[in-house]
């Protein structure tokens, strides 16, 4: 038989059971008082991340006010435009258009350079002077880094990582997998 493989150091294990996640200043779709809160860590340049969006859209339609969805940034270092795209989404959030920018960024994953981002802001009718100022504001980049650190702390090892009331669903899972967890949470809250 061959030689035993050298063991690679592994990441610390993800926490078992639900983790406590603060929404903080993340954008929220729905009511913060909804019984089920879904927090997604994601990256606008990640093709796999865009695949979770149809499941989330279906959740919004089927569960309405029972579910609140919020978004946290986790741009991967090898996606060279992802961090600036995250900052652009924060800049749009500052003008009340986060989800519109979110959809635009995911629809244009191959075009996330600065000029593209400014064009999307124009398309959404944002104040461009404020948008570009926010795009260059180090505080917004710091927020992206803080959200990544928070994600790592609660067990995000890959993206998209979604948490349903603190319970992780890893990857771009189909709606049914979310539904099972949401229904269980609603029953527990009942």
């Amino acid at each position: 038989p061959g030689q035993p493989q050298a063991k690679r150091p592994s990441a610390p294990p993800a926490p078992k059971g639900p983790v406590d996640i603060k929404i903080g200043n993340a954008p929220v779709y729905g009511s913060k008082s909804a019984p089920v809160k879904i927090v997604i860590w994601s990256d606008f340049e990640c093709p796999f991340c865009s695949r979770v969006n149809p499941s989330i859209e279906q959740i919004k339609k089927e569960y309405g006010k029972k579910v609140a969805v919020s978004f946290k940034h986790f741009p991967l270092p090898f996606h060279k435009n992802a961090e600036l795209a995250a900052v652009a989404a924060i800049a749009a959030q500052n003008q009340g258009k986060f989800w519109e920018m979110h959809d635009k960024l995911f629809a244009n994953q191959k075009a996330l350079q600065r000029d593209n981002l400014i064009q999307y802001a124009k398309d959404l009718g944002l104040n461009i002077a404020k948008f570009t100022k926010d795009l260059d504001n180090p505080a917004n980049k710091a927020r992206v880094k803080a959200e990544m650190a928070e994600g790592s702390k609660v067990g995000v090892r890959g993206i998209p990582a979604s948490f349903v009331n603190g319970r992780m669903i890893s990857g771009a899972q189909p709606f049914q997998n979310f539904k099972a967890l949401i229904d269980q949470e609603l029953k527990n809250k009942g």
Side-chain angles (χ1 to χ4, degrees):
Q3 294 295 312
Q5 293 291 306
K7 276 195 124 160
R8 281 203 337 230
S10 59
K16 298 253 183 289
V19 290
D20 183 29
I21 296 172
K22 305 275 179 269
I23 301 298
N25 48 10
V28 177
Y29 183 94
S31 164
K32 279 189 179 178
S33 60
V36 176
K37 292 169 186 62
I38 299 174
V39 180
I40 302 166
W41 267 271
S42 190
D43 165 340
F44 291 112
E45 202 173 343
C46 159
F48 200 58
C49 291
S50 65
R51 287 191 221 140
V52 79
N53 293 338
S55 297
I56 300 302
E57 285 310 310
Q58 201 170 343
I59 289 166
K60 289 177 187 172
K61 272 194 206 88
E62 279 200 30
Y63 290 95
K65 290 181 172 31
K66 292 181 192 158
V67 172
V69 177
S70 46
F71 185 100
K72 297 209 178 212
H73 301 282
F74 207 95
L76 297 174
F78 53 87
H79 289 149
K80 63 181 195 307
N81 298 308
E83 187 181 59
L84 191 60
V87 172
I90 291 170
Q93 180 187 353
N94 292 343
Q95 297 189 46
K97 294 270 179 116
F98 172 82
W99 295 103
E100 294 87 341
M101 182 62 88
H102 165 282
D103 294 349
K104 217 169 221 331
L105 296 172
F106 274 122
N108 297 284
Q109 287 189 303
K110 302 259 186 282
L112 298 176
Q113 290 77 14
R114 185 182 176 89
D115 290 351
N116 304 118
L117 301 173
I118 291 168
Q119 184 56 53
Y120 304 148
K122 286 178 184 162
D123 296 347
L124 295 175
L126 299 182
N127 172 326
I128 298 305
K130 181 172 175 14
F131 180 82
T132 50
K133 193 172 168 211
D134 283 346
L135 212 47
D136 297 324
N137 184 341
N140 292 328
K141 202 172 186 176
R143 174 175 151 191
V144 172
K145 296 258 187 267
E147 289 184 3
M148 289 178 76
E150 179 194 4
S152 296
K153 208 183 289 167
V154 297
V156 175
R157 299 286 172 266
I159 49 168
S162 307
F163 290 79
V164 177
N165 282 357
R167 293 161 71 192
M168 192 188 327
I169 295 183
S170 190
Q173 298 290 331
F175 170 72
Q176 290 316 111
N177 295 14
F178 281 96
K179 180 176 173 44
L181 207 46
I182 293 168
D183 289 346
Q184 194 181 351
E185 285 297 315
L186 287 171
K187 211 165 82 186
N188 295 347
K189 301 267 185 224

